[in-house]
Amino acid sequence: MANPRSTTRAGRSTGAVTLQRVAEHAGVSIATASRVLHGGGSRTVGEELRRRVESAARELGYVSNAPAQALARSATSVVGLIVHDVADPYFAAIAAGAMRAARRQRLMIMIAATFRDPELEIEYVRSLRAQRARALLLAGSGTDDRSLTDRLAAELAGFREDGGRVACIGERGAGPAVPLDHAGGAARAATELWRLGHRRIGVVAGPAELLTVQQRLAGARQALAQLGGELPDSRVVFADFTRAGGREAALELLAREPGLTAVLALNDVMAAGVLAAVQDDLGRAVPGDVSVVGFDDVPFAVDLRPALTTVRLPLEEAGERAVQLVVEEAPADRPPLGVSLVVRDSTGPAPQR
Amino acid sequence: MANPRSTTRAGRSTGAVTLQRVAEHAGVSIATASRVLHGGGSRTVGEELRRRVESAARELGYVSNAPAQALARSATSVVGLIVHDVADPYFAAIAAGAMRAARRQRLMIMIAATFRDPELEIEYVRSLRAQRARALLLAGSGTDDRSLTDRLAAELAGFREDGGRVACIGERGAGPAVPLDHAGGAARAATELWRLGHRRIGVVAGPAELLTVQQRLAGARQALAQLGGELPDSRVVFADFTRAGGREAALELLAREPGLTAVLALNDVMAAGVLAAVQDDLGRAVPGDVSVVGFDDVPFAVDLRPALTTVRLPLEEAGERAVQLVVEEAPADRPPLGVSLVVRDSTGPAPQR
C-alpha cells in the first residue's frame, strides 16, 4: 500500500487551500488530514477526527490535487474494474459487490468496459497504469489467443512494477484470482437434466475463444460422459453472449438436431433468447417439449416466461473478494465460493416419445 | 480542450522510455507522438503515422505518465460517468452509448456508481476533479433537496474552473443537459390506458425526492386531467426503483384501491415486481384483470410475463449526445430525443364490471 506521507502540493491557481491549512483549521496533524482526505495508510482515523477534517476541508474549499499526490505517492485511491459489457447483469453484480467492499476501504471503483475487445482491455490496463491506479480487477473472461494473452501479461507486469495490485475474477492465468466454479456449475445443470430423463441435450454457448465458455462447456461434457451420455460437437452452437445470439443459436441447434429435449444456455441473457426461439419462433412448449437451463442467475431470470432454472454463481461476493485480494484484507484460507442450481419452471421431465 | 504540448516526464524508474525516444524511433515529431499517445488537440493524425507511433511505443515499452501529464496539461483523457446503479439497465444503456461516442474521440469513460446516495455523488465529483478528469457526465436524476443541490453545484463549479466540462442526462439544473422527455413519456402511457377504457389508474413510483420521478408523475397526472380523469395521491405509492420496491408498492396500492384496473410503473425494473405481485401474489390476470405499463424499455422488458408495454426512451443516444456535448462535437440545433410507447401484451381493454 502506498506510503501516506503528507504531500507537498504542486502550484495551483492563486489562493489554493493547502493540506496544511486544512489540518490547522481542524486542529489535527497533517498526516491525519492526509489520511482522511487522501486515503491510504494502514492506521484508521476515528469518526470524530474524520468529521472535523472533512468539515474543515469543506469550509475552506480544499481540493486534493490527485496528479501531484500520485507523483508523490505513486498511487491514487482509484481501483479500476475492467468488464466486458456493462449491459450484462453478470458484470453489474460483480461491480456491485466490488463497490461495497471498496467503500469500506474508502477506495473509488472506476468501471471500464471493453465490449469483449481484447485490444481495448490492454489499452485500459495501460491507461490505468499511466494514471497510477492503485489496483486493477479483471472481471471479464480471458481468451485462448496466445499473443493477446502475452501482451496483456506484459502490461499487467508493468502495472505491478509500479506498485499496483491485480486480481482476476475467475481463473485466467493473469494473476491471483477469485476462482469461479464454471465447470462445476455446468456439471450440476447437466446432471439435473439427466436426472429428469433427458438424453439428447444441446448447448447454446458464448464465443468459443473465451476461457469461461470453454470451462462451462467442459464441465457439462464431462458430467454427461460420467453419466454414460455424450455431448458431441454437433449439439453445441457458439454465438454472442447476448439475447440475439442465444435466439439464433437455438434456432440453428434445433434445426440441426430437432430431437433435442433440453438446451443448456451458457448464460442467462442467451437463455432469454433461447426461450423466445423455442416458444415464439418454433411454437414449442417449455418445459413440455424442451427444457431450458441458464447460467448466472441474474435478477431477471425469475421473471422470464417460464421462470428460468439456472446455475447460481455468487457474483457479488466474488466482486467483494477481488477487492479484498488487492487490499490484503482477505483471510488466508477462504473456502471457495459455492455454486448452486436454482430450479424454477423452465425444466421438467423429458417428454415420452 | 487541453493544449497538447509535449510534456516533460517526471522521474521514473531507471531506463524509463521518454516520449522523445518514441518519436525518434517512429520518425515523427514529439508533438505528433504526443497527440497519438496522449490524445487531445484538435488536429487529427493520419492512420499510417498513428500506427508507426503506436508500434514504436509498444516496442520500446513506453508508458505515458498520466499524473505528470495531467499536471502539465490540466486534463487527462478520462471522462467520468456518474450513475445511480450499475445493475439498473437504464444506466447500462446510457453507458453503452457514451462509450461508443467516447471511443471515436479516444477518450476513456470511467463509470462511478452512487447507489442513489447524493453524498457519494458529491464525493465522486470531488475525486474526478482532483484527478483532473476532462469531463463529467451526470446520468442519475437530481433530487429536490436544496442543500444537497447547492453543494453539488459548488463542486461542479470547481470542476469547471479547472477546465473540466459537465453535462447532464435529463434536466437537473446542474449544467447543460441532454433533455429526456420524462413527462411526455408518462403522458403517452396514461393516454393509452385511457384509450383502452381504464378510468381507475394507479402509479407505482420510485423515490419521491427524485426529479425524474416527479417529472414522470406530473406528466401522467396532467394527461389524465386533460382527458377528464384524475390521479389522486391515494393512487400513487412511492418505493425503491427496484423489483422488490415495485412488488411491495403494487401490493400496497391494490390493497388500498382494489378497484384499479391499470398500474403504471415508473420504471421497468419496478414493473417486473408489479407483474409478480399482481399475478403471483394476488392471482389476478394481466392484462385481463389489471393492465401494467412500464417505463424505459430495457432489454428484458420483452421477456417478461406477459411481454411488457412500456415507454421507450432513447437512452443509448442520450449517452452519446452527452459525450458530444462535452467535446463540442454536437451540432447547434438538434431535435430533441423522441419518446414512444412500445405496446406489447401487458395492456388490454379495461375489464367490464
Side-chain angles (χ1 to χ4, degrees):
Chain A
M1 203 168 264
N3 174 11
R5 64 193 133 120
S6 64
T7 56
T8 44
R9 301 179 62 249
R12 283 175 46 79
S13 55
T14 52
V17 176
T18 61
L19 187 63
Q20 187 169 3
R21 271 189 60 200
V22 173
E24 282 165 8
H25 197 85
V28 302
S29 69
I30 291 184
T32 298
S34 172
R35 217 169 286 131
V36 171
L37 297 171
H38 305 157
S42 53
R43 282 208 286 156
T44 55
V45 177
E47 213 31 62
E48 161 62 15
L49 280 185
R50 179 176 299 284
R51 226 188 331 261
R52 260 159 61 193
V53 172
E54 284 175 346
S55 109
R58 197 152 49 228
E59 267 173 51
L60 298 171
Y62 172 77
V63 171
S64 72
N65 187 326
Q69 272 182 47
L71 282 175
R73 302 193 311 160
S74 279
T76 61
S77 63
V78 170
V79 174
L81 170 66
I82 305 186
V83 305
H84 281 171
D85 184 356
V86 277
D88 185 335
Y90 176 90
F91 294 109
I94 289 173
M99 285 182 202
R100 201 160 47 217
R103 282 208 76 181
R104 288 196 296 266
Q105 302 283 336
R106 300 186 69 80
L107 295 171
M108 302 210 354
I109 296 275
M110 289 283 183
I111 307 172
T114 65
F115 295 108
R116 296 193 173 79
D117 174 353
E119 293 288 347
L120 199 49
E121 187 171 55
I122 291 172
E123 260 184 59
Y124 273 120
V125 172
R126 193 178 295 146
S127 170
L128 284 161
R129 179 184 178 192
Q131 287 176 73
R132 295 282 194 275
R134 167 179 303 228
L136 186 51
L137 312 178
L138 296 176
S141 169
T143 79
D144 60 7
D145 181 318
R146 192 77 217 157
S147 122
L148 280 168
T149 306
D150 287 349
R151 281 171 51 219
L152 177 66
E155 291 295 339
L156 292 175
F159 185 83
R160 287 198 194 89
E161 269 166 36
D162 291 352
R165 306 282 301 256
V166 178
C168 301
I169 291 142
E171 292 289 356
R172 54 181 289 186
V178 178
L180 288 177
D181 191 3
H182 295 298
R188 290 236 183 157
T191 304
E192 168 73 2
L193 290 171
W194 188 269
R195 194 188 66 74
L196 288 167
H198 297 277
R199 295 296 177 266
R200 283 156 309 174
I201 300 169
V203 174
V204 162
E209 69 274 16
L210 294 184
L211 298 180
T212 301
V213 169
Q214 295 170 12
Q215 290 160 2
R216 292 181 180 185
L217 197 51
R221 187 165 264 150
Q222 202 175 351
L224 289 177
Q226 281 174 357
L227 292 164
E230 52 165 1
L231 181 59
D233 286 346
S234 60
R235 291 187 189 160
V236 179
V237 176
F238 298 94
D240 282 348
F241 253 154
T242 60
R243 183 181 191 276
R247 189 170 190 162
E248 284 158 30
L251 291 176
E252 187 183 328
L253 181 68
L254 289 165
R256 201 192 276 172
E257 297 255 351
L260 295 182
T261 62
V263 176
L264 168 61
L266 292 192
N267 82 1
D268 288 347
V269 180
M270 291 192 105
V274 173
L275 290 174
V278 173
Q279 300 178 111
D280 303 342
D281 298 333
L282 303 177
R284 298 174 71 182
V286 175
D289 298 320
V290 180
S291 284
V292 176
V293 183
F295 213 113
D296 295 340
D297 197 23
V298 303
F300 67 74
V302 67
D303 292 311
L304 294 173
R305 291 169 292 132
L308 187 69
T309 295
T310 186
V311 176
R312 183 169 193 286
L313 288 180
L315 297 171
E316 292 204 14
E317 200 173 347
E320 268 186 278
R321 286 197 180 188
V323 170
Q324 291 163 348
L325 266 186
V326 295
V327 297
E328 296 180 301
E329 191 196 32
D333 286 314
R334 305 191 73 171
L337 293 170
V339 291
S340 51
L341 187 73
V342 183
V343 178
R344 298 199 182 96
D345 306 329
S346 65
T347 41
Q352 305 296 324
R353 280 273 149 171
Chain B
M1 206 169 267
N3 176 13
R5 65 193 131 118
S6 64
T7 54
T8 45
R9 301 180 62 251
R12 282 174 48 77
S13 54
T14 52
V17 176
T18 61
L19 188 63
Q20 187 167 3
R21 274 189 60 200
V22 173
E24 281 164 7
H25 197 86
V28 303
S29 70
I30 291 185
T32 298
S34 170
R35 218 168 284 130
V36 171
L37 297 171
H38 306 158
S42 52
R43 282 208 285 157
T44 55
V45 178
E47 212 30 63
E48 161 63 15
L49 280 185
R50 179 176 298 285
R51 228 186 332 262
R52 263 159 58 196
V53 172
E54 285 174 344
S55 107
R58 198 152 49 226
E59 269 173 53
L60 298 172
Y62 172 77
V63 171
S64 70
N65 187 323
Q69 273 182 47
L71 283 175
R73 304 193 311 160
S74 279
T76 62
S77 63
V78 169
V79 174
L81 170 65
I82 304 185
V83 305
H84 280 173
D85 184 355
V86 278
D88 186 334
Y90 176 91
F91 294 108
I94 289 173
M99 285 181 201
R100 200 158 48 217
R103 282 208 78 180
R104 289 197 296 266
Q105 303 283 333
R106 300 184 70 80
L107 295 171
M108 302 211 353
I109 296 275
M110 289 284 184
I111 308 172
T114 65
F115 295 108
R116 295 193 173 81
D117 174 354
E119 293 288 347
L120 198 49
E121 186 170 56
I122 291 172
E123 259 184 60
Y124 272 120
V125 172
R126 192 178 297 146
S127 169
L128 284 161
R129 179 185 177 190
Q131 286 178 73
R132 293 285 193 273
R134 170 180 300 227
L136 184 52
L137 311 177
L138 296 176
S141 169
T143 78
D144 60 6
D145 181 317
R146 190 77 216 158
S147 124
L148 280 168
T149 307
D150 287 350
R151 281 171 50 218
L152 176 66
E155 291 295 338
L156 292 174
F159 186 82
R160 286 198 194 88
E161 268 165 37
D162 290 351
R165 307 280 303 255
V166 178
C168 303
I169 291 143
E171 293 288 356
R172 53 181 288 186
V178 178
L180 289 177
D181 192 3
H182 295 298
R188 288 234 185 160
T191 303
E192 169 71 2
L193 290 171
W194 187 270
R195 194 188 65 73
L196 288 166
H198 296 277
R199 296 296 177 266
R200 281 155 309 172
I201 299 169
V203 174
V204 162
E209 68 275 15
L210 294 185
L211 297 180
T212 300
V213 169
Q214 294 170 13
Q215 290 159 3
R216 291 181 179 185
L217 197 51
R221 189 163 262 151
Q222 201 175 353
L224 289 176
Q226 280 174 359
L227 292 162
E230 52 166 2
L231 180 60
D233 286 345
S234 60
R235 292 188 188 161
V236 180
V237 176
F238 299 93
D240 282 348
F241 253 154
T242 61
R243 183 181 191 275
R247 189 169 191 162
E248 284 157 31
L251 291 177
E252 185 182 329
L253 181 67
L254 289 165
R256 200 193 277 171
E257 298 254 351
L260 296 182
T261 62
V263 175
L264 169 60
L266 292 192
N267 82 1
D268 288 347
V269 180
M270 291 192 103
V274 173
L275 290 174
V278 173
Q279 300 178 111
D280 303 341
D281 298 332
L282 302 177
R284 299 175 69 182
V286 176
D289 299 320
V290 180
S291 285
V292 176
V293 184
F295 213 113
D296 295 339
D297 197 23
V298 301
F300 67 73
V302 68
D303 292 312
L304 293 173
R305 292 170 291 135
L308 187 69
T309 296
T310 185
V311 176
R312 183 170 193 285
L313 288 181
L315 296 172
E316 293 205 12
E317 200 173 347
E320 267 186 279
R321 285 196 180 189
V323 170
Q324 290 163 347
L325 266 186
V326 294
V327 298
E328 297 182 300
E329 190 196 32
D333 286 313
R334 307 191 73 172
L337 293 170
V339 292
S340 51
L341 187 73
V342 183
V343 178
R344 297 198 183 97
D345 306 329
S346 65
T347 42
Q352 306 295 324
R353 282 272 150 170

